[in-house]
Amino acid sequence: MIVPTGVGAAIGGYAGDALPVARVLASVVDCFISHPNVMNAAMLYWPIPNALYVEGYALDRFAEGSWGLQPVHQNKVGLVLDSGMEEELRIRHLQVADAARASLGLPVVEYILTDAPLEVEIWIDPAYGKSTGRIGNPGSLLRAVDSLVKRSKVNAVAVVGRFPDDDIEGAEDYRQGKGVDVVAGVEAIISHLVVKEFQIPCAHAPALLPPPLTRSLSPKSAAEEIGYTFLPCVLAGLSRAPQYVVDRSRGTAEDARCILGSDVDSVVLPIDACGGEAAVALARRSSNKALVIAVEENTTVMDDTPEKLGIDAMKVSNYWEAVGVVAAHRAGVDPRALRRRGVDPIRCLSALQVPPLSLFLRGDVNAGELNVHG
């Protein structure tokens, strides 16, 4: 299940509002694979036993076949805190880490402060309308992760960057369940940077001061208003996120008996967000193509429809229908057979204009010989 980050998805573009869909889809499949944007709900989360929590960059590499996914019982999670955050915010995040360790038993082993503020900047891309941004000190982030990996032997990393609070264009619309999540784009940039460099699971939680209390708040955004941090869901997801098997030599992924992109039977995504690397790779693989299910009710600011990309997709009106299609596909049933007049009369092969048999047979009957040429 894919819902791209920071593109204003009607479902999955807010504070974990695609998590109910994830729970239902996971109940009708053997293995459910998705990414933090779908699974994270700030202070809220939901344990799904058969779910694999895969960061977006790793999901692309998995879908194209260069990385495999190795399920684990438990990861050793390290925590990177932006040194640019205020002391009170730092204490709040450390309290969340301790609460996760004591109340949930999560293996958050050590934390580190970056040696320089990350200097996060965020904005809306004027060309596409999606959120994006940059970090001023990427080297500071990478050095912090490197220290945790080498000294603390962690194999998953949670990052908390200090994000700007004031004058965030569109922030109020987001609280009302409209528009684009303005912080999501640069969150993806941060996690992509770490995963590309270290090939381990990573997810990000923004550090922000609590917004003023409002009586007018969309339920879709409410999960981000009930606490001081967005870190709980990240720690829960990373604690059992699959490790990435980087197939640098032929056979590595297969030898590890991990899950490969070629194992994916179906992919569910918004109707106009089919242009991501993972979606395209799964839809266009040379053999055993995945069934692409495009949900019309889930729209985004993008315009990457199956038709424009030449992707053969089954369109469904909503996620209710998507669940039914996935269940039918798993059962080996043509989903169209579940619809009234969903199956047309079988077509006749004669439309292919097969040449008459006489053109293929030539023989000398008197000589008792028959030669067959084809």
Side-chain angles (χ1 to χ4, degrees):
M1 177 181 174
I2 299 172
V3 182
T5 301
V7 296
I11 301 170
Y14 299 91
D17 58 304
L19 189 51
V21 179
R23 292 179 58 192
V24 177
L25 272 173
S27 73
V28 299
V29 299
D30 299 305
C31 179
F32 175 78
I33 301 171
S34 197
H35 54 107
N37 185 55
V38 170
M39 307 294 287
N40 288 353
M43 293 290 288
L44 305 179
Y45 62 93
W46 193 269
I48 302 176
N50 64 331
L52 297 181
Y53 179 92
V54 183
E55 191 276 338
Y57 178 86
L59 190 64
D60 291 341
R61 304 292 77 75
F62 162 74
E64 71 183 13
S66 56
W67 290 13
L69 303 178
Q70 181 66 60
V72 302
H73 291 297
Q74 188 182 76
N75 289 318
K76 292 178 64 177
V77 182
L79 176 61
V80 175
L81 299 180
D82 186 350
S83 61
M85 75 174 70
E86 300 86 337
E87 182 181 9
E88 179 178 341
L89 272 178
R90 183 171 71 250
I91 292 172
R92 293 289 188 188
H93 284 85
L94 291 175
Q95 288 173 343
V96 168
D98 281 341
R101 296 167 65 225
S103 299
L104 301 179
L106 301 186
V108 186
V109 294
E110 284 189 330
Y111 80 94
I112 188 171
L113 295 178
T114 60
D115 57 23
L118 295 183
E119 297 182 357
V120 176
E121 300 177 48
I122 58 177
W123 63 85
I124 299 295
D125 185 334
Y128 299 101
K130 63 181 181 179
S131 67
T132 186
R134 65 184 171 209
I135 54 175
N137 288 317
S140 177
L141 172 61
L142 295 178
R143 287 190 294 273
V145 175
D146 187 64
S147 294
L148 284 172
V149 169
K150 290 181 177 177
R151 294 166 51 189
S152 304
K153 307 300 180 184
V154 305
N155 55 2
V157 175
V159 179
V160 181
R162 181 64 169 100
F163 276 49
D165 296 297
D166 301 328
D167 301 323
I168 300 178
E169 183 181 356
E172 190 56 37
D173 283 344
Y174 175 78
R175 296 178 80 190
Q176 302 305 318
K178 301 178 291 184
V180 174
D181 182 355
V182 292
V183 307
V186 75
E187 286 195 276
I189 291 171
I190 290 171
S191 64
H192 289 8
L193 178 63
V194 173
V195 172
K196 183 177 181 180
E197 181 71 20
F198 296 96
Q199 293 93 49
I200 60 175
C202 175
H204 180 270
L208 294 160
L209 295 176
L213 183 65
T214 178
R215 292 182 180 272
S216 176
L217 181 68
S218 170
K220 296 165 71 70
S221 303
E224 295 181 356
E225 307 266 343
I226 60 176
Y228 293 98
T229 84
F230 303 161
L231 187 56
C233 62
V234 169
L235 296 178
L238 288 174
S239 67
R240 294 195 63 186
Q243 287 294 312
Y244 308 138
V245 180
V246 181
D247 190 12
R248 297 187 183 280
S249 60
R250 181 175 296 180
T252 301
E254 288 82 354
D255 292 343
R257 296 183 179 180
C258 60
I259 298 171
L260 305 175
S262 57
D263 296 322
V264 175
D265 291 311
S266 58
V267 54
V268 183
L269 66 170
I271 184 69
D272 53 10
C274 299
E277 292 182 54
V280 171
L282 292 171
R284 294 180 177 173
R285 64 191 184 201
S286 57
S287 61
N288 191 31
K289 290 182 174 62
L291 174 64
V292 177
I293 304 168
V295 181
E296 294 176 328
E297 191 173 74
N298 198 5
T299 56
T300 75
V301 299
M302 307 302 288
D303 193 27
D304 298 329
T305 61
E307 295 84 359
K308 290 187 175 182
L309 297 166
I311 291 175
D312 182 18
M314 176 168 286
K315 295 180 182 179
V316 298
S317 298
N318 49 54
Y319 281 108
W320 294 357
E321 291 186 18
V323 172
V325 170
V326 170
H329 188 52
R330 182 190 183 197
V333 173
D334 182 349
R336 288 178 287 264
L338 277 63
R339 299 293 303 274
R340 180 187 180 191
R341 291 193 292 270
V343 178
D344 295 326
I346 191 167
R347 293 178 296 180
C348 178
L349 186 62
S350 63
L352 299 179
Q353 300 297 320
V354 178
L357 185 63
S358 60
L359 294 181
F360 292 91
L361 301 178
R362 185 183 67 199
D364 185 344
V365 178
N366 294 330
E369 297 177 354
L370 180 64
N371 298 319
V372 180
H373 303 271

